Amino acid sequence: MDIAFLTGGTGFVGANLIRLLAEKNLRVRVLARKNSDKRNLEGLPVEIVEGGLLDPEALEIGCRGARYVFHLAADYRIWAPDPTEMYKTNVEGTKAVLTAATQAKAEKIVYCSSVAAVRPPDGKVPSTEENEYSGTEEIIGDYKKSKYLGEQEALRLSRQGGPIVIVNPSAPIGPLDIKPTPTGKIIVDFLSGRMPSYIDTGLNLVDVRDAALGHYMAALKGKIGERYILAGENLTFKRILDILSEETGIPAPRFKTPYAVAWLYGAVDTARARALGGEPRAPLDAVRMARHFMWFDSSKARRELGFPVSDARRALKDAVSWFVEKGYAPRPVPA
């Protein structure tokens, strides 16, 4: 039985990928820190290797004999009081995992980057793999910068012989978002009545199960050194809220916050969080990102990998059900 080794298997996309790999009759091995939240692994036929991304012994054990290595672990936060750990995880950790997998002679290594590493579109024309940043100076926020630098490490190692394929998921939506991710938090906030207004922006939503399948197809069909955008449906933020309203009966916010007002609130809120502790409700970097419609085109992945694009409504509906069932938000009471 072929072995697949994963980092990030306790997280959102990783937990969905594990379930898919088990269905494909692969023996799954997962890297997880000793005290990490392992709820997403409960009841699954997986072998756990205890350790972190910068633990050479754990990585050697995990990669040993693995046909496929999937590196999904990442520090996914739009804001952090100290971004040092974000770079340590997303850049140094990526280099360590991909190097260990190459040395172990894995047949294919799939690195989960992000559309954060893809230059956002000008206007509302979706970005493709050809949209590249010229450097970190034009990138907004430490999360995006760290993912860009991590991807540069992956590209460098692939040029040196690493059998690495890069996938760039957009904003995943669906079940098993235990953290929740920043995108999942939008749904939780909507369900909890903590979204009085919206900003005129756009997001690309991908069903997390499609994203997981895209990783698997990249291992089977992806070209070494290439990157593939795993994007779903391009939607305005207002349309996302309207779909949530239609599915739950909760009224969508009607007030559109002007960008200047949102920027001022984000600046004050972020400064407060830095001074007093806690997390800002509207990080300034998130507001700055909202100036761009984060729309993406998955044509290359559909053409070369057979990547599917499911209806975003289904993913949103399933995410609502999961968050309510797990107690993240109250059961919707139609107005």
Side-chain angles (χ1 to χ4, degrees):
M1 182 181 288
D2 290 329
I3 298 171
F5 174 54
L6 282 83
T7 70
T10 60
F12 185 24
V13 180
N16 281 276
L17 177 57
I18 286 174
R19 286 157 174 77
L20 174 64
L21 295 175
E23 291 175 5
K24 302 296 181 181
N25 295 316
L26 286 160
R27 177 182 163 194
V28 182
R29 192 182 289 158
V30 180
L31 181 73
R33 297 185 307 276
K34 184 176 182 179
N35 297 319
S36 62
D37 186 344
K38 299 182 181 66
R39 284 177 292 165
N40 271 342
L41 303 181
E42 291 175 358
L44 297 179
V46 299
E47 174 190 348
I48 297 177
V49 178
E50 285 192 352
L53 298 179
L54 297 175
D55 183 339
E57 183 178 355
L59 293 180
E60 191 278 327
I61 293 171
C63 292
R64 187 186 302 158
R67 181 177 182 182
Y68 304 123
V69 173
F70 298 90
H71 175 43
L72 289 85
D75 189 338
Y76 181 18
R77 291 179 289 170
I78 301 300
W79 179 85
D82 178 8
T84 303
E85 285 299 312
M86 192 178 294
Y87 287 95
K88 188 175 181 180
T89 296
N90 295 347
V91 185
E92 295 176 37
T94 293
K95 179 180 178 181
V97 172
L98 301 186
T99 299
T102 300
Q103 292 173 346
K105 301 189 183 305
E107 178 181 314
K108 195 71 71 71
I109 305 164
V110 179
Y111 165 54
C112 179
S113 181
S114 167
V115 290
V118 179
R119 196 176 189 278
D122 295 320
K124 297 180 181 180
V125 179
S127 287
T128 71
E129 290 82 358
E130 301 303 314
N131 292 67
E132 298 183 358
Y133 284 113
S134 59
T136 58
E137 297 79 11
E138 59 177 329
I139 302 176
I140 298 172
D142 289 298
Y143 172 69
K144 285 194 170 191
K145 288 179 183 178
S146 68
K147 291 301 290 185
Y148 169 80
L149 293 172
E151 186 173 288
Q152 293 305 301
E153 284 293 334
L155 290 168
R156 180 182 65 81
L157 291 167
S158 72
R159 289 192 293 268
Q160 295 177 358
I164 300 165
V165 179
I166 298 168
V167 293
N168 301 78
S170 60
I173 291 291
L176 304 177
D177 190 2
I178 61 172
K179 199 168 185 179
T181 60
T183 315
K185 191 172 183 297
I186 291 172
I187 299 173
V188 172
D189 284 348
F190 178 87
L191 293 171
S192 304
R194 295 195 295 265
M195 191 166 291
S197 65
Y198 66 94
I199 296 177
D200 184 23
T201 188
L203 292 173
N204 182 286
L205 301 185
V206 61
D207 188 312
V208 68
R209 292 152 295 198
D210 288 349
L213 181 58
H215 283 71
Y216 177 66
M217 298 308 295
L220 298 184
K221 299 181 178 182
K223 297 176 183 176
I224 292 171
E226 294 286 331
R227 63 176 180 170
Y228 298 90
I229 291 174
L230 306 181
E233 195 171 345
N234 291 311
L235 298 166
T236 64
F237 189 42
K238 177 67 165 61
R239 180 57 186 150
I240 292 170
L241 298 178
D242 285 343
I243 292 173
L244 288 171
S245 177
E246 291 163 9
E247 292 298 329
T248 63
I250 299 172
R254 297 180 181 178
F255 177 66
K256 180 171 69 175
T257 302
Y259 178 77
V261 175
W263 190 97
L264 181 61
Y265 179 83
V268 172
D269 194 32
T270 301
R272 175 200 58 76
R274 291 197 184 281
L276 304 177
E279 185 174 342
R281 280 185 49 78
L284 181 57
D285 282 344
V287 177
R288 294 173 63 209
M289 291 175 193
R291 285 299 293 268
H292 300 279
F293 276 66
M294 301 298 290
W295 285 355
F296 299 91
D297 184 344
S298 61
S299 295
K300 180 179 177 180
R302 296 200 307 270
R303 182 176 62 251
E304 297 187 15
L305 305 182
F307 176 69
V309 176
S310 300
D311 184 6
R313 179 183 291 271
R314 185 193 74 158
L316 286 165
K317 185 176 181 179
D318 290 349
V320 167
S321 297
W322 191 85
F323 282 128
V324 170
E325 178 187 340
K326 299 300 179 181
Y328 287 79
R331 188 167 299 282
V333 178

